[in-house]
Amino acid sequence: MGSQIAAHFANAGVPSLLLDVTAEAAAQGLKRARSLKPDPFFLPDGWTLVSTASFDEGLPRLGETDWIVECVVEQLDAKRALLERVDAARRQGSVVSSNTSGIPVGVLAEGRSDDFRRHWLGTHFFNPPRYLRLLELIPTPDTDPAVLAGVKAFADLHLGKGVVVAKDSPNFIGNHLALYDVVRALALVAEGRYSIEEIDAITGPPIGRPKSATFRTLDLAGIDILAHVVRNLAERLDDPAARATFVLPPFVEAMLARGWTGEKAGQGFYKRIKGDDGESQILVIDPASLEYRPQVRPKLPALAAAEAVTDTGERLRKLFAGTDRVGEYLRATLAPTLAYAAAVTPSIAHSPDDVDRVMRWGFGWELGPFEIMDALGIQPVRTREGLVPAAAPALQLLRSARERGAIVKSNPGASLVDLGDGVLAVEFHSKMNSIGADTVQMLQAGVREASRNFAALVVGNEGVHFSAGANLMLVLIEAQDENWDELDAMVRAFQGATMGLRYADVPVVVAPAGLALGGGCEIALHADRVQAAGEAYIGLVEVGVGLIPAGGGTKEMTARAAESVAAGADLLPPIQRAFETIGFAKTSTSGPDARRLGYLRPADAITMNRERLMTDAKQHALQRVAEGYQRPVPRASIPVGGDAVLAPLKLGIHLAWRAGRISDHDAMIGRKLATIMAGGELPHPATVSEQHLLDLEREAFLSLLGQHKTRERIQHTLKTGKPLRN
């Protein structure tokens, strides 16, 4: 855990020193972090910001550090012994914290110096720190309020954390409430009332929780960790009735005795094996016999019926009220969990809103316990401790604007929202924020409206993903019906929309987060500036469905490559890099990685805290206004290489085809892409206009849509979510 925390500091550009019992152990910890999937680092060389040493070598260097995070084994004596050494080596005024998940933070600091205790607090990072936003901060009565405020601000702004200040109670907020829910599920399995498969089918996306649901999540986290937290609660809670609740059933204790602790042990509630046919097969444990058996698909019709309900709260109400096994399960587990949350919130948290944030940010719940109570109509509990404080406007800019009635114009695909201070926003709200005619119309309307009545325009949303790209189903239907004029008009309209963003009379800032693929990437490429989230997965992925980027993406990557070299220099190296980025459908693994791939420019900015992204984009837009934004002049002469670029690109494609690395259809797509990026079939280097490259894009896109194999690829992707190589 220490190495992963160090990795995330590196993501924020902060160098760190990773210490362990020996220098070799510290180096091995960093090596393990570098091999983890998903990657804890934003960039392949991010690990270079982390140095390693033994405690003996490194503790004398603590005088150089601003923040010391203790992450050793969850044993009180071991932590206190190390902290005594830290106290002797640290400089006055440096922050010291423990990444404990449940040991009393105040007890850990007993016997330490006054300055140590004033600069001491708990910092419970959730695992993995890069991907789980929650950070619980646990001050003690001795913690200087300024220290707490400083750590909170740094974690929010630089580490991108959703910070919640918790009380120094057993296992704080998140693990306490999550484990109450889990032990009830385990009890139902032990009693034989529900199977593991049934519970995982119910407690995943149908009720607004991650796909890993209950038992897959426990396998990933470690059943030994589950046992540690449950036992800690059973020992430390003041209420005898609550202590009695936190008990593991005998079959789980038997699993632990056998070392079946989950994914890291190769088996837990689930076990992956190779079948007789060589294919991977996942078995599930039988709690009665402790033997593994094939999974049985649950028969729960209520879940299938609820799939059509898109609103999580409405879907929960429907399932909770059902008279079937799903409803019975939720009333047996969710209802007592909500009641327990209401009862213990005053002792573990400072507000019900904090409890909701912890469960959303740390455990991936779409709705926290009190939000679920609201959805189910349980109003009295919500006001138990008074009104919930409103969320900071900086964290919910679009939501705040909508609530004050600031929608200027709207259609099913997108809305224009007045963000205040002369900034207009285009907010997408289609499924996965896919781009269709409605979205294009609103982008065009946004540019017109901003040019007339606003100082700047922001394109973004507060959804999980910025945009998954064009509406492929619509494109496929038009191609199958051979509506080529309609498709030509669609592509022209989208090109017009992206170019409209690029050459708007006001600065346009695009704010991608999560997926920004295909057309979503092309929108970002045409912004005056981009304000990207740290977790932004940006890419031109059209080749995966047998197409090429035709919303200006190929044009823009070609122009940027040409502009990266001095006049008269060899165009092939930068064009080849851009060709490979598009041809291999490279997608960034983070915001900084998008800069490495050329999707972001040096002037573009990155926001670590996703919830601050729209506020930062708005400020970036206003900064551009203050700098005296001038509408850019359209590129009239983009250098292209003609045959000097096209010939070597085609040779590379041919050699890849001969080696069997690409199919015939891949080679066709590659040749069309190469032709565009060479400026067309020109006999020698020349200069061309943006419109020339846009026309080449559009022609290639339409011709590829006419290919049966491209339509097969689109159909396969729509059906399976995976690419087809044909």
Side-chain angles (χ1 to χ4, degrees):
M1 189 62 180
S3 62
Q4 291 203 63
I5 293 172
H8 197 54
F9 273 87
N11 293 337
V14 178
S16 61
L17 172 63
L18 181 65
L19 305 182
D20 210 321
V21 175
T22 66
E24 182 181 0
Q28 285 298 316
L30 180 58
K31 184 177 180 180
R32 283 194 300 273
R34 292 173 60 190
S35 67
L36 288 174
K37 300 297 178 187
D39 197 331
F41 290 99
F42 277 175
L43 294 169
D45 62 352
W47 65 272
T48 58
L49 280 176
V50 184
S51 55
T52 59
S54 68
F55 287 138
D56 289 341
E57 297 165 335
L59 284 172
R61 294 170 56 185
L62 294 188
E64 308 164 11
T65 65
D66 299 306
W67 183 358
I68 303 157
V69 185
E70 170 273 305
C71 304
V72 300
V73 63
E74 283 285 279
Q75 294 175 4
L76 178 61
D77 290 345
K79 288 181 179 289
R80 292 186 66 173
L82 177 59
L83 291 172
E84 182 176 5
R85 297 177 67 186
V86 168
D87 195 4
R90 64 182 282 273
R91 65 172 174 78
Q92 296 277 301
S94 62
V95 174
V96 188
S97 67
S98 174
N99 190 57
T100 178
S101 61
I103 295 177
V105 176
V107 171
L108 286 172
E110 288 178 355
R112 303 278 59 79
S113 66
D114 289 344
D115 186 80
F116 181 104
R117 286 185 285 107
R118 285 197 303 274
H119 294 84
W120 165 254
L121 72 165
T123 49
H124 183 203
F125 288 85
F126 274 57
N127 191 17
R130 171 183 170 181
Y131 297 97
L132 287 184
R133 290 191 55 231
L134 179 63
L135 172 61
E136 290 180 316
L137 296 184
I138 307 96
T140 73
D142 294 328
T143 305
D144 185 336
V147 171
L148 175 64
V151 172
K152 183 177 181 180
F154 181 87
D156 174 355
L157 297 172
H158 297 283
L159 299 181
K161 290 297 173 185
V163 180
V164 172
V165 178
K167 296 182 180 179
D168 194 3
S169 62
N171 293 100
F172 317 129
I173 301 172
N175 284 344
H176 187 165
L177 294 182
L179 267 294
Y180 184 89
D181 188 60
V182 165
V183 294
R184 300 195 70 84
L186 289 169
L188 293 181
V189 170
E191 294 165 10
R193 292 171 58 186
Y194 285 85
S195 70
I196 286 173
E197 299 100 312
E198 284 180 311
I199 293 176
D200 270 358
I202 296 169
T203 59
I207 63 170
R209 296 188 190 174
K211 290 181 180 179
S212 53
T214 298
F215 292 98
R216 178 61 179 150
T217 297
L218 292 174
D219 273 355
L220 290 169
I223 302 171
D224 52 337
I225 303 300
L226 160 72
H228 171 78
V229 176
V230 167
R231 288 166 186 158
N232 191 50
L233 288 164
E235 293 169 2
R236 293 185 51 217
L237 288 171
D238 294 331
D239 182 1
R243 286 202 303 272
T245 300
F246 290 96
V247 177
L248 293 176
F251 87 91
V252 178
E253 296 286 5
M255 291 172 64
L256 290 166
R258 289 166 168 78
W260 299 350
T261 56
E263 186 83 5
K264 60 191 172 188
Q267 61 193 101
F269 295 108
Y270 294 100
K271 180 180 180 180
R272 188 185 299 272
I273 64 167
K274 288 283 187 181
D276 294 337
D277 57 359
E279 294 294 318
S280 180
Q281 181 182 0
I282 299 176
L283 306 179
V284 64
I285 199 165
D286 182 334
S289 66
L290 289 184
E291 294 180 352
Y292 287 89
R293 59 168 176 78
Q295 295 185 68
V296 177
R297 187 179 180 86
K299 295 180 180 179
L300 300 169
L303 297 183
E307 284 182 1
V309 183
T310 57
D311 180 77
T312 303
E314 183 182 346
R315 189 167 61 250
L316 264 171
R317 283 194 300 275
K318 182 181 179 68
L319 293 172
F320 190 86
T323 57
D324 63 325
R325 286 179 64 74
V326 175
E328 290 171 2
Y329 176 82
L330 293 176
R331 289 189 293 275
T333 58
L334 180 60
T337 297
L338 298 178
Y340 186 75
V344 301
T345 287
S347 63
I348 65 175
H350 294 283
S351 79
D353 197 42
D354 281 346
V355 171
D356 284 340
R357 289 176 177 176
V358 163
M359 302 313 291
R360 291 200 312 269
W361 293 342
F363 297 90
W365 292 20
E366 291 181 26
L367 299 174
F370 290 92
E371 292 167 322
I372 293 173
M373 294 178 206
D374 284 346
L376 298 180
I378 309 173
Q379 297 299 331
V381 179
R382 182 69 170 179
T383 58
R384 177 186 183 95
E385 294 299 312
L387 296 175
V388 176
L395 299 179
Q396 297 179 330
L397 185 64
L398 274 170
R399 183 182 301 179
S400 300
R402 287 194 304 272
E403 287 174 352
R404 70 170 189 268
I407 296 176
V408 176
K409 191 175 184 179
S410 186
N411 67 23
S415 297
L416 304 185
V417 184
D418 183 352
L419 299 182
D421 301 314
V423 180
L424 181 69
V426 179
E427 177 190 18
F428 302 162
H429 44 65
S430 58
K431 184 176 181 180
M432 288 293 287
N433 291 324
S434 62
I435 299 165
D438 287 340
T439 315
V440 171
Q441 289 171 8
M442 207 52 64
L443 283 169
Q444 294 170 331
V447 171
R448 292 193 299 270
E449 179 67 22
S451 297
R452 287 194 298 260
N453 299 312
F454 291 84
L457 179 68
V458 168
V459 181
N461 57 74
E462 291 171 344
V464 176
H465 301 299
F466 175 74
S467 174
N471 186 332
L472 280 178
M473 178 61 76
L474 177 61
V475 170
L476 178 62
I477 290 171
E478 296 290 354
Q480 289 174 330
D481 291 344
E482 298 187 355
N483 292 330
W484 304 116
D485 289 344
E486 180 65 25
L487 282 165
D488 181 73
M490 288 167 56
V491 179
R492 287 178 185 271
F494 187 46
Q495 288 181 339
T498 58
M499 293 293 282
L501 296 174
R502 182 72 191 95
Y503 296 112
D505 292 329
V506 298
V508 176
V509 175
V510 175
L515 298 179
L517 304 179
C521 176
E522 289 175 307
I523 289 170
L525 286 173
H526 287 81
D528 172 62
R529 293 288 188 272
V530 175
Q531 184 78 38
E535 297 295 344
Y537 314 118
I538 304 173
L540 294 170
V541 296
E542 287 85 350
V543 168
V545 290
L547 297 168
I548 55 94
T554 306
K555 174 270 300 179
E556 190 61 25
M557 294 296 281
T558 302
R560 290 188 183 189
E563 291 165 355
S564 70
V565 298
D570 185 5
L571 284 174
L572 181 59
I575 291 292
Q576 176 132 15
R577 286 193 295 272
F579 172 81
E580 291 174 355
T581 297
I582 299 174
F584 292 120
K586 292 182 180 179
T587 299
S588 71
T589 58
S590 65
D593 192 48
R595 182 172 284 129
R596 181 182 66 85
L597 291 174
Y599 295 134
L600 298 184
R601 299 155 297 181
D604 296 328
I606 292 171
T607 294
M608 290 292 282
N609 189 333
R610 170 67 177 91
E611 291 205 343
R612 293 190 177 277
L613 181 62
M614 288 299 291
T615 295
D616 288 352
K618 174 184 172 181
Q619 293 307 313
H620 200 162
L622 290 172
Q623 177 185 337
R624 291 292 290 143
V625 174
E627 290 170 352
Y629 170 81
Q630 295 291 320
R631 181 177 182 270
V633 177
R635 299 181 181 106
S637 56
I638 300 169
V640 293
D643 193 58
V645 163
L646 183 56
L649 290 182
K650 282 187 174 180
L651 176 60
I653 293 165
H654 177 74
L655 293 175
W657 172 78
R658 284 285 299 271
R661 296 198 302 271
I662 62 174
S663 68
D664 291 350
H665 196 53
D666 292 327
M668 173 191 285
I669 298 165
R671 288 191 295 270
K672 288 185 178 291
L673 178 61
T675 301
I676 300 166
M677 301 189 78
E681 295 184 348
L682 304 174
H684 49 71
T687 59
V688 298
S689 67
E690 286 185 286
Q691 189 59 52
H692 175 78
L693 294 178
L694 290 171
D695 291 342
L696 291 176
E697 273 187 358
R698 190 177 64 259
E699 291 163 7
F701 182 89
L702 294 172
S703 68
L704 286 168
L705 268 180
Q707 297 290 321
H708 177 68
K709 288 189 175 182
T710 286
R711 295 199 293 272
E712 280 185 335
R713 290 189 179 193
I714 296 173
Q715 281 182 312
H716 183 82
T717 299
L718 288 171
K719 184 177 181 179
T720 67
K722 299 176 181 178
L724 170 69
R725 186 183 180 193
N726 57 356

